[in-house]
Structure formats: C-alpha cells, structure tokens
Amino acid sequence: QVQLVESGGDLVQAGGSLRLSCAASGSTFSLNTFSWHRQAPGKQREFVAVIFSGGHTNYADSVKGRFTISRDNAKNTVYLQMNSLKPEDTAVYICKTVVRAREYWGQGTQVTVSS
C-alpha cells in the first residue's frame, strides 16, 4: 500500500518562503513520478509541479520561477520549495503519485499566506 504524508505547511507573510515535504512509502520510490497539487477554498484542485524519475521537472505558469520541486531518493521524500509567496498561493497542498496506473494522494498540508 502506497502512503504519502505531507508536512511543512504553515502561516507565512507575503514574500516569505516555505518548504513542503512529502514522505512516501510502499513503492519503489526512485521509479515513481511525483507531483504537487493545491486546492483553495471554493476552487478546483490544480496542478502545481511534477518531478519525473529521471529528475525532469515541470511547473504551472503561476508558480514558475518561484517554486522548485526536488526529490531525495535516499530519503523517499519529495520537496516543494516555495519562495516569494503570495496570498493567492493560500491552499491545501497535496502530494500525488501513480503506481501501476493507480493514483495515490496524501492528506495535504495547509499553506496560508497573509498580505
């Protein structure tokens, strides 16, 4: 059973930084693609960033240049470094992976950016 556990969410002022972590278990971590998504109150869940097994990354236009996704295969952990945070980044941030065509989601971690 694949499990994803996010952490690192917090209340931060606009312009500040946070680093989110997603600890994974139950799969061959180094082979998996991981992505971060976010969901703000009253809005649909949206894609934020993805990192493939080879290390290639891709980002939503809204976070490009501010957020960085990375992975540590030795620690089975994926990170999302968020800089220059804006109030519109406020959301629950959720980690996702796909194993054998099945999606697995974490429970999410709350990020609140005050103006």
Side-chain angles (χ1 to χ4, degrees), residues 16-70:
S17 298
L18 281 176
R19 188 177 80 156
L20 307 184
S21 299
C22 172
S25 61
S27 70
T28 307
F29 181 89
S30 63
L31 300 180
N32 290 1
T33 294
F34 289 87
S35 56
W36 284 97
H37 303 255
R38 66 186 182 186
Q39 187 162 19
K43 294 188 177 181
Q44 288 192 332
R45 188 172 295 184
E46 64 174 0
F47 165 79
V48 174
V50 61
I51 186 165
F52 298 93
S53 58
H56 180 70
T57 60
N58 198 13
Y59 298 91
D61 287 343
S62 59
V63 306
K64 204 170 290 184
R66 299 188 298 123
F67 290 10
T68 302
I69 188 171
S70 62

Side-chain angles (χ1 to χ4, degrees), residues 3-114:
Q3 290 190 322
L4 303 173
V5 179
E6 302 95 333
S7 61
D10 206 345
L11 170 63
V12 63
Q13 288 190 333
S17 298
L18 281 176
R19 188 177 80 156
L20 307 184
S21 299
C22 172
S25 61
S27 70
T28 307
F29 181 89
S30 63
L31 300 180
N32 290 1
T33 294
F34 289 87
S35 56
W36 284 97
H37 303 255
R38 66 186 182 186
Q39 187 162 19
K43 294 188 177 181
Q44 288 192 332
R45 188 172 295 184
E46 64 174 0
F47 165 79
V48 174
V50 61
I51 186 165
F52 298 93
S53 58
H56 180 70
T57 60
N58 198 13
Y59 298 91
D61 287 343
S62 59
V63 306
K64 204 170 290 184
R66 299 188 298 123
F67 290 10
T68 302
I69 188 171
S70 62
R71 63 192 297 158
D72 186 336
N73 289 339
K75 295 183 178 180
N76 286 5
T77 301
V78 176
Y79 303 98
L80 185 67
Q81 178 67 44
M82 306 187 296
N83 299 328
S84 302
L85 283 162
K86 305 175 182 179
E88 51 263 43
D89 294 320
T90 294
V92 175
Y93 283 72
I94 310 159
C95 183
K96 171 193 160 184
T97 192
V98 179
V99 178
R100 290 187 287 276
R102 179 177 173 179
E103 293 184 349
Y104 294 89
W105 296 83
Q107 83 289 348
T109 186
Q110 176 70 47
V111 172
T112 303
V113 185
S114 63

